[in-house]
Amino acid sequence: MARSRVSLSTGTSKGLVLDLIRTLGPISRTDLAAETGLTAATMSNVVRQLLDEGLIHETGLGRPNGGRPVVLLEVDTSARYAVGLQLGGESITYVVVNLRGAVVGRLRAPGVGASEPTAMVAGLVEQIRVILLGLGIDEQLVVGIGVVAPGPVDIARGMVFGPAHMEAWKDVPLRDLIAEATGLPVVFDNDATAAALGDFWGGATEGARAHATVYMGLGVGAGVLIDGTVFRGASSNSAEIGHIVIATDASGRALVAEDVADPTAVVRTAHENPDEVTRLGLTGDDFTQFTAIAKASARGDAFATGLLEASARHLATAVTSLANLFDLDSITLAGPAFAIAGAIYLRVIDAQVNADFFARSRHGIRVRLSPQLQDAAAVGAATLVLQSELAPRTMGLAGPSD
Amino acid sequence: MARSRVSLSTGTSKGLVLDLIRTLGPISRTDLAAETGLTAATMSNVVRQLLDEGLIHETGLGRPNGGRPVVLLEVDTSARYAVGLQLGGESITYVVVNLRGAVVGRLRAPGVGASEPTAMVAGLVEQIRVILLGLGIDEQLVVGIGVVAPGPVDIARGMVFGPAHMEAWKDVPLRDLIAEATGLPVVFDNDATAAALGDFWGGATEGARAHATVYMGLGVGAGVLIDGTVFRGASSNSAEIGHIVIATDASGRALVAEDVADPTAVVRTAHENPDEVTRLGLTGDDFTQFTAIAKASARGDAFATGLLEASARHLATAVTSLANLFDLDSITLAGPAFAIAGAIYLRVIDAQVNADFFARSRHGIRVRLSPQLQDAAAVGAATLVLQSELAPRTMGLAGPSD
């Protein structure tokens, strides 16, 4: 899988124009010039380059403002693709998106677990190759791979620092290993941040001024978008709601959301009651057991429902803190855990957050399941690499509204 | 106190140029043109206006780049002034700042307490008049008044929504009443947000990517600056750390920082022990009693020190959540309560936050007392009105780095 032969040079004007055609097209050269402030000569030059590289094409004549007919431009949706890879202890999700950010292929595989990373990278790369082959996509058309994992992450060095259930991956130069094995540009980020971007591209954050995507795999995190821009803080490890205090235990010890709310904690709590564990037949890794608990709850099992509701209430406390500190007006729930047990979490979190948050006299908070419940982080990962390779001016920003 | 006769029209170019001269001056016209990208003709025109209005003057010749001598421009520090007014249950602070944002006068008065707001506004206005008279400042040179109060606030309507100890002020059109009584522009904001701006102008946030000023009067809040820009969220009620859950009580009820950490809570906790209240002679309003507890602690009193340390530990939990969610690298403590008991809070918060925060493997968090411990919010209020009247392009932003 060699680097695409077509040079996708990342000049600012070109990225900007491509991004506008992608989000506003079909659009005329005149309207593009008006949107960008570029001179007619520069615009003509940039459009020519994009046509030559096959990234856009002319769609014929249109009358966008009701005037005389003009030639309209739009992106060639299948001119380039990007791969998004979400690495989690519970699952690995691969997606392939086209130049518009729409998903054209997806695959879910068992999670990273205790796998040895260096060897596993070869497997990931092979899997990407097989998916592209199955989709009939020429590897030359892939602009890069976006890889996301649970925080804390080191974006500068492209590696994860944890969490506990991915201990073997700590301090492994993941981005560089994947880049080396594929010859493709690789962008690395926090899974929750990517999920927020995925929700943005999927339209789920529309109308929000301050939005958070709460992302739950085996652990839980969040990504925040302010007016469509990713909130990163000092080191892109912001919005880590799994690590904020939400209660104290009987002996006065502080409990964080990760201790009592995430799927790992749900399973641990279940095992405090061995009879119920036996009755429900809980075995296997944590995510398998969490899935079994969710299924039992869906059948009406009171013990299982009690576990999930307690988890949801604790998580709601953390989400309320998030809402109070960022003054949120929109929240989505995304990730593998919500894909399995989203309804119960949505009900509890929506009710508790809207009853308790500080600025409730000023505005409400819209709480919803992500329309890309399982895939938001992988889709966000793929759009990150589309952005950074094709429209670098908006790197770190969230997309069209910028 | 009539509106200044000199029209401070708020055109973008003029505000921009004045702001640059204020922060970079003495500076030449050539360097200004380079900084702004304005044409020589526009620059010449704008500088002429500023000279005519007496906001800047020529300082004579300089050789800023070692070349031939050129005329340098700098602001006329005493050409205009702004008033900052911090309204709190515990105290009212008035400051007057000059065109550089430096404090030229200050006054502290007893807090708002249960005062009736409409009548009190007349008192505030009279007090401002007296201060300006004492400083020998012509009221015509005052560009406006910045007023700040504890959240939640309604910035659009210019009024407070609480807190409990300012119940009488709820839903009073404060901004409009003060504007009417003075004939001056009035800007209204959250006290903690203003304190963060005050710290920015005072240089305390230098080098920070993600900074929070924790502001404590009778209650506690925070203001966040990201790369020098105020973080506002959906309704400018962000970073409300007094209202996030930090523990649960013996019966499992959620406790927020306001329940157990702020000065009101410290006094309430003290009164659970009537013998100690008698021994320490605690009487009067909450802030007077908090002050007495801080003084007793400074004398080595174990009970008083225990109260403050418990409060500091609870507050540290809330501040750690703030640090984890915003991925902070800098924190200052400001406000009347820290002016009285800052040392003990600084010690506990610095130790606990740096031991516990999530991204500690990536970077440290600098925790310090604000250099404007008592005045940060009032100074921030005054700089808000300077910004909005003189350099509106940066309204809502924090100043020179933008």
Side-chain angles (χ1 to χ4, degrees), chain B residues 55-77:
Chain B
L55 294 170
I56 62 171
H57 55 231
E58 296 181 339
T59 61
L61 301 178
R63 298 169 185 269
N65 306 310
R68 65 185 181 80
V70 293
V71 175
L72 299 183
L73 303 164
E74 68 177 8
V75 295
D76 188 342
T77 302

Side-chain angles (χ1 to χ4, degrees), chain A residues 152 161 209 226 231 233-240 243-248 317 321 324-327 358 362-363, chain B residues 152 154 161 209 226 231 233-240 243-246 248 317 321 324-327 358 362-363:
Chain A
F161 275 106
R209 292 200 57 189
I226 302 301
F231 181 88
S235 68
S236 292
N237 285 300
S238 58
E240 286 290 354
H243 297 267
I244 62 171
V245 171
I246 53 160
T248 29
T317 299
S321 290
N324 284 342
L325 295 185
F326 283 95
D327 193 11
F358 180 66
R362 300 282 300 111
H363 58 85
Chain B
D154 183 340
F161 274 106
R209 292 201 57 191
I226 303 300
F231 180 89
S235 68
S236 293
N237 285 299
S238 59
E240 287 289 356
H243 298 266
I244 62 171
V245 171
I246 54 161
T248 28
T317 299
S321 290
N324 284 343
L325 295 185
F326 283 95
D327 193 11
F358 180 64
R362 301 280 300 110
H363 58 85

Side-chain angles (χ1 to χ4, degrees), chain A residues 190 192-193 211-215 220-226 229-246 256-258 314-328 331 353, chain B residues 209-212 222 224-226 231 238-246 316-331 353 356-360 363 365:
Chain A
N190 185 307
T193 300
H211 169 87
T213 296
V214 177
Y215 187 82
V220 63
V224 171
L225 297 178
I226 302 301
T229 300
V230 172
F231 181 88
R232 291 199 177 271
S235 68
S236 292
N237 285 300
S238 58
E240 286 290 354
I241 60 169
H243 297 267
I244 62 171
V245 171
I246 53 160
V256 300
E258 212 181 44
H314 286 306
L315 187 56
T317 299
V319 174
T320 303
S321 290
L322 186 74
N324 284 342
L325 295 185
F326 283 95
D327 193 11
L328 298 176
I331 293 169
V353 168
Chain B
R209 292 201 57 191
H211 169 87
V224 171
L225 298 178
I226 303 300
F231 180 89
S238 59
E240 287 289 356
I241 61 170
H243 298 266
I244 62 171
V245 171
I246 54 161
T317 299
V319 174
T320 303
S321 290
L322 185 74
N324 284 343
L325 295 185
F326 283 95
D327 193 11
L328 299 176
D329 56 6
S330 166
I331 293 168
V353 169
D356 289 350
F357 88 103
F358 180 64
R360 61 186 179 279
H363 58 85
I365 300 181

Side-chain angles (χ1 to χ4, degrees), chain B residues 245-291:
Chain B
V245 171
I246 54 161
T248 28
D249 68 12
S251 63
R253 193 176 67 94
L255 297 171
V256 300
E258 213 181 45
D259 294 329
V260 287
D262 70 18
T264 307
V266 169
V267 172
R268 197 166 49 234
T269 308
H271 280 263
E272 291 167 9
N273 206 323
D275 291 350
E276 296 287 354
V277 168
T278 308
R279 184 178 64 80
L280 292 173
L282 300 180
T283 56
D285 63 39
D286 280 358
F287 205 74
T288 305
Q289 295 191 51
F290 179 76
T291 305

